[in-house]
Amino acid sequence: MESVLTTEKRGRIAIFTLNRPEKYNALNPALIQALEDAMLNFMEDADLYVGILTGAGSKAFCSGADVTEWLPFVKATADRPWRIPRTPMRGLYVTKPLIAAVNGLAYGGGGELALACDLRIAAEHASFRWPEPSLGLLPRFGGTQRLPRIVGYGRAMQILLTNEKVDAQTALQIGLVNQVVPAEQLLDAALQTAEKICQLAPLAVRSIKQCLSQGYDMPLRDGLALENTLGMALYQTEDYLEGGRAFQEKRPPQFQGK
């Protein structure tokens, strides 16, 4: 049986592919569990610095929840507790940078999965939509919280309250994605960005991510304290010493993440 989530390693980069193209890579219980397992392994692997998350096929990054599987699953597990797996959307803070390579539609939970990544690169035909209110629901895996933080309150309210489809160019204009490229160049563009990150000191990169992601919701005083604490700790790393030596010797640094 083919895995619902595949992982490919290219040097310091891990490529995670949602692998249910016949279902528009919709999230089912198995895929949610696979996401948790993959992210935990990713963080534990010292050889991996950056992750890329994408979908199989050319039609969809992820179309959201697979209702045809979730409803029977909920009924089948009603008499016993089911631990909801932790994902980047909720419950799992991924310490390393994640890039979403949005290769098609990203609807509902699929859009929320893209929002949970640190950077988003979209194919020209990609689109975003959060249709939950048309189903009597709300986006409860970060849609109401991350979207306004990324595109602003007014834009997020418009998108979420009108079931508006956001095409790739509009997503770029409002800051929902960082880059738009032709579909055939999508993975290469994500890999190029990942390679740029991999050339930097990994501990510094992770500390910067932590400062931004955790400090965003803090009062300025607390955010500055977090920044100072993490920044001071970097002076004790081998990577800091290597960065200084490389600068003096006018050569590329060889960071080890130590």
Side-chain angles (χ1 to χ4, degrees):
M1 184 176 178
E2 197 168 15
S3 174
V4 294
L5 179 71
T6 65
T7 301
E8 177 188 354
K9 297 180 182 180
R10 296 198 188 182
R12 298 289 192 181
I13 303 166
I15 303 172
F16 306 102
T17 303
L18 309 180
N19 192 33
R20 305 185 70 222
E22 74 287 353
K23 296 288 187 178
Y24 292 82
N25 300 316
L27 299 168
N28 65 353
L31 183 48
I32 290 287
Q33 182 61 64
L35 271 171
E36 178 186 52
D37 296 340
M39 292 299 107
L40 291 174
N41 290 334
F42 171 54
M43 287 190 286
E44 292 172 0
D45 192 331
D47 293 328
L48 295 174
Y49 288 0
V50 182
I52 296 173
L53 189 61
T54 192
S58 60
K59 295 181 178 179
F61 172 73
C62 176
S63 59
D66 187 341
V67 179
T68 61
E69 287 202 30
W70 277 109
L71 292 179
F73 179 80
V74 170
K75 291 181 180 179
T77 58
D79 60 341
R80 63 184 186 276
W82 182 64
R83 185 189 70 82
I84 299 176
R86 299 168 297 159
T87 70
M89 294 181 286
R90 180 189 295 153
L92 184 62
Y93 172 69
V94 180
T95 56
K96 301 176 182 180
L98 277 177
I99 301 170
V102 184
N103 57 302
L105 60 86
Y107 288 2
E112 291 171 299
L113 185 56
L115 291 176
C117 293
D118 303 296
L119 298 172
R120 284 159 294 282
I121 301 175
E124 290 175 330
H125 70 288
S127 61
F128 298 82
R129 175 178 276 165
W130 286 270
E132 283 85 350
S134 69
L135 303 170
L137 301 170
L138 62 79
R140 66 182 187 89
F141 285 101
T144 66
Q145 301 304 303
R146 291 192 178 96
L147 187 61
R149 285 166 167 80
I150 293 171
V151 304
Y153 180 91
R155 288 281 192 181
M157 198 65 88
Q158 178 183 348
I159 292 169
L160 295 179
L161 293 188
T162 63
N163 192 17
E164 177 181 326
K165 178 182 176 181
V166 182
D167 62 36
Q169 287 301 327
T170 301
L172 180 63
Q173 293 169 10
I174 65 177
L176 179 52
V177 301
N178 302 89
Q179 186 180 0
V180 174
V181 298
E184 65 273 14
Q185 299 175 18
L186 178 62
L187 186 57
D188 284 342
L191 285 167
Q192 287 173 11
T193 298
E195 289 288 0
K196 290 180 181 179
I197 298 172
C198 286
Q199 293 172 13
L200 306 175
L203 297 180
V205 166
R206 292 166 207 171
S207 293
I208 290 171
K209 172 174 176 171
Q210 186 176 350
C211 283
L212 266 67
S213 61
Q214 296 182 6
Y216 190 93
D217 297 321
M218 293 179 177
L220 179 58
R221 178 179 298 179
D222 295 340
L224 290 172
L226 173 65
E227 178 185 76
N228 187 58
T229 298
L230 296 178
M232 290 297 292
L234 292 174
Y235 286 111
Q236 308 304 316
T237 65
E238 294 179 21
D239 281 352
Y240 167 68
L241 298 176
E242 166 61 13
R245 285 193 297 263
F247 178 80
Q248 292 178 337
E249 297 168 8
K250 298 181 180 181
R251 60 172 175 81
Q254 301 296 319
F255 295 121
Q256 301 297 321
K258 298 179 181 178

